[in-house]
Amino acid sequence: KLNSLTENITDFQKIMNNYSNSSSENISRNVANLEEEVKMLKIENMKLKSEMNQTLIESSDSIRNLTVQIGFLANKTKVADETLRYLNGTYNAQKLVLDEHTQAFKRFETLLNITNS
């Protein structure tokens, strides 16, 4: 019986060693898979950071361009406003001259009517 018990213990130890070796291999394989996944995630993270930086650069360029365009439009608006004021002043001056000519013509017309009467 002792011999049989010893054989059973030996078999059990072999099974446990196989299980232990198998578990070690699985753990090693899992660790290798996780290390590979971490490496891929780091690469993906670097790509995303690069894309984000590129987007920031492009956004900065767009903002800079828009700022220049806004300044340009502001200058055009200022020039248009000054031109409008000038034209308005010219119109008012011409209207005054026209009103004076109209008054002079009316006086002339009145004198003609008096002279013809």
Side-chain angles (χ1 to χ4, degrees):
K1 278 192 167 196
L2 186 61
N3 232 1
S4 177
L5 185 60
T6 305
E7 284 177 16
N8 284 341
I9 290 174
T10 304
D11 287 345
F12 180 73
Q13 285 176 337
K14 285 180 185 176
I15 290 170
M16 288 306 292
N17 282 339
N18 283 340
Y19 178 76
S20 177
N21 288 340
S22 174
S23 290
S24 293
E25 288 172 11
N26 283 340
I27 290 171
S28 295
R29 206 170 22 255
N30 287 342
V31 167
N33 287 342
L34 286 173
E35 285 174 344
E36 185 64 24
E37 194 171 336
V38 166
K39 188 168 73 172
M40 296 303 288
L41 288 172
K42 283 181 178 179
I43 290 170
E44 184 67 22
N45 189 28
M46 287 173 58
K47 286 180 186 176
L48 289 173
K49 281 182 181 178
S50 177
E51 288 175 14
M52 184 182 70
N53 285 337
Q54 185 61 34
T55 301
L56 285 174
I57 290 168
E58 290 170 2
S59 294
S60 294
D61 289 346
S62 293
I63 290 169
R64 202 173 304 112
N65 288 339
L66 286 173
T67 303
V68 168
Q69 289 177 1
I70 288 169
F72 178 70
L73 288 174
N75 285 338
K76 283 182 87 169
T77 302
K78 181 181 175 186
V79 168
D81 195 39
E82 289 171 2
T83 302
L84 185 60
R85 261 197 301 280
Y86 169 77
L87 291 174
N88 196 27
T90 302
Y91 168 79
N92 288 336
Q94 289 177 345
K95 188 167 179 348
L96 284 175
V97 169
L98 182 61
D99 288 347
E100 287 175 13
H101 287 164
T102 302
Q103 293 298 321
F105 180 75
K106 285 180 180 178
R107 286 192 300 274
F108 177 71
E109 191 176 43
T110 304
L111 284 175
L112 268 177
N113 286 339
I114 292 173
T115 308
N116 288 338
S117 307

